[in-house]
Amino acid sequence: HGVACEDSLHSLTFARRFLVESGINFGDLPASLSVADAVCGDVAHMCRTWPLARAVCPITCGCSAPLGPLFLSHPTYGCPRGCTEETHGEYRVALAELECTERTPAELLRDETWQDWAKQVGGEIDAVFRSEPQLKPHENSTDMVLTMGCEAIAFWKHAVKVELDLVVDPCVGNWLEEWLETKPLAPACPITCGCNTKRITDEDWFESHCSEKCAAP
């Protein structure tokens, strides 16, 4: 996957042609859309299901938005690495502006973005364990995230350690090691993730994904 986090559909002739023609063939784009004139705004609704859309339109798709609706924003799903690793990029700026506060499970249950996140990660967890459902740490992963809110982090870490003997941390987007990596939960769950007890420096900010407003003095 590319490194730079910038919308580049307009300058990538082959990718633009492939994405537009495929989108038209699958019914995701209108047949009247011109390949030559297509821009990221035209394919924005494809961000959820098309990794190529995320790769060439990462800003439009929200790859660099810490609290954006695209939860599957890890490079595994097409977003360029630079979207969360550039020290002066949009992700860093947005992260620095986040307050060091956390909503309750009841509040998150009513939040449309959290509901969307739960569906996305739940679907991926189901896919990982499709051939061996008996190994799944929780019977209904979507419901777990949806109802437990940030408390799902500690529950999941413990369950995965007990059931699979893996050390994972959804705070940094690690749900099942290389089998499932997502948007980090630390920006949405800074207290649960211990952001208010860490010393955040320019060197390690992207490793913790904590807002600098949480940094311990």
Side-chain angles (χ1 to χ4, degrees):
H1 303 292
V3 174
C5 190
E6 57 186 28
D7 285 355
S8 55
L9 182 67
H10 61 283
S11 61
L12 300 173
T13 305
F14 176 79
R16 186 172 67 247
R17 177 179 295 111
F18 179 83
L19 190 60
V20 172
E21 291 181 352
S22 297
I24 292 174
N25 290 336
F26 281 95
D28 290 328
L29 291 172
S32 58
L33 181 63
S34 167
V35 171
D37 298 330
V39 295
C40 283
D42 295 317
V43 301
H45 63 287
M46 298 169 64
C47 291
R48 186 65 55 83
T49 53
W50 288 75
L52 180 59
R54 300 170 199 158
V56 297
C57 298
I59 302 301
T60 295
C61 289
C63 292
S64 60
L67 300 179
L70 181 64
F71 196 59
L72 304 179
S73 58
H74 187 269
T76 304
Y77 296 98
C79 287
R81 292 192 178 279
C83 290
T84 54
E85 294 182 2
E86 289 175 353
T87 55
H88 300 290
E90 288 191 17
Y91 185 82
R92 172 71 185 273
V93 173
L95 199 61
E97 294 175 350
L98 295 179
E99 296 299 326
C100 193
T101 57
E102 184 173 299
R103 285 176 290 174
T104 66
E107 291 172 329
L108 288 172
L109 182 61
R110 297 189 295 270
D111 182 80
E112 290 187 1
T113 297
W114 187 265
Q115 294 168 10
D116 206 1
W117 286 8
K119 292 177 183 176
Q120 291 178 62
V121 73
E124 291 302 299
I125 291 172
D126 288 345
V128 171
F129 292 100
R130 184 162 291 132
S131 62
E132 296 182 286
Q134 73 278 8
L135 296 179
K136 194 161 62 169
H138 192 279
E139 182 178 359
N140 190 326
S141 304
T142 297
D143 187 63
M144 175 198 70
V145 176
L146 187 61
T147 59
M148 296 182 71
C150 293
E151 295 173 6
I153 295 171
F155 176 89
W156 183 258
K157 290 169 69 173
H158 176 73
V160 171
K161 176 59 179 174
V162 171
E163 299 293 335
L164 304 173
D165 196 28
L166 295 177
V167 177
V168 300
D169 188 4
C171 288
V172 295
N174 179 358
W175 290 79
L176 287 167
E177 295 189 343
E178 68 269 22
W179 294 286
L180 179 56
E181 296 180 89
T182 69
K183 182 190 296 293
L185 279 180
C189 303
I191 308 305
T192 295
C193 293
C195 292
N196 56 330
T197 64
K198 299 175 182 178
R199 290 183 178 275
I200 307 302
T201 66
D202 285 342
E203 289 75 30
D204 66 12
W205 72 269
F206 59 84
E207 294 180 4
S208 67
H209 298 278
C210 291
S211 169
E212 293 173 11
K213 292 185 179 182
C214 285

